[in-house]
Amino acid sequence: MNDGVEVFALPQRLTRALTNASSAELEELAGRWTTRLRCEDGDDMTDDDLLAILQGVARLAAYAVNTGDGLYSWSF
C-alpha cells in the first residue's frame, strides 16, 4: 500500500563519513550543495541554511554510530 510515506536508510558508509567529517568538510559540502542547486535550478531553491542541516545530520549520524543504530530519513 502506498500511503505517501517514504523512508530511506542511509548507508553505514555515509553515516560514518558524516560522523567523521570535520567542520571544514561539512562547510565545503554545503558550498558544493548550494552551487549545485544554483546550477541546476538557476537560483537558490531553499531558504534553509544548508550548513546547519548538514551539521544536524552529522550529529544524528554520530549518535547513531555511538548507539549502534542506523540513520533514517522519512517524509510524508
Side-chain angles (χ1 to χ4, degrees):
M1 181 169 102
N2 183 357
D3 59 3
V5 175
E6 300 173 328
V7 178
F8 301 95
L10 276 70
Q12 288 183 354
R13 182 175 172 195
L14 175 58
T15 302
R16 284 191 305 274
L18 287 166
T19 298
N20 296 324
S22 68
S23 294
E25 290 170 320
L26 292 175
E27 286 181 40
E28 194 247 329
L29 179 56
R32 289 193 334 240
W33 189 4
T34 300
T35 299
R36 186 171 182 172
L37 284 174
R38 285 185 184 134
C39 287
E40 290 180 0
D41 301 315
D43 72 34
D44 292 330
M45 292 299 294
T46 180
D47 292 330
D48 295 325
D49 181 344
L50 299 180
L51 177 57
I53 291 169
L54 285 173
Q55 290 168 331
V57 172
R59 284 191 299 274
L60 290 171
Y63 181 81
V65 167
N66 290 334
T67 59
D69 292 328
L71 187 60
Y72 302 89
S73 172
W74 68 89
S75 64
F76 319 40

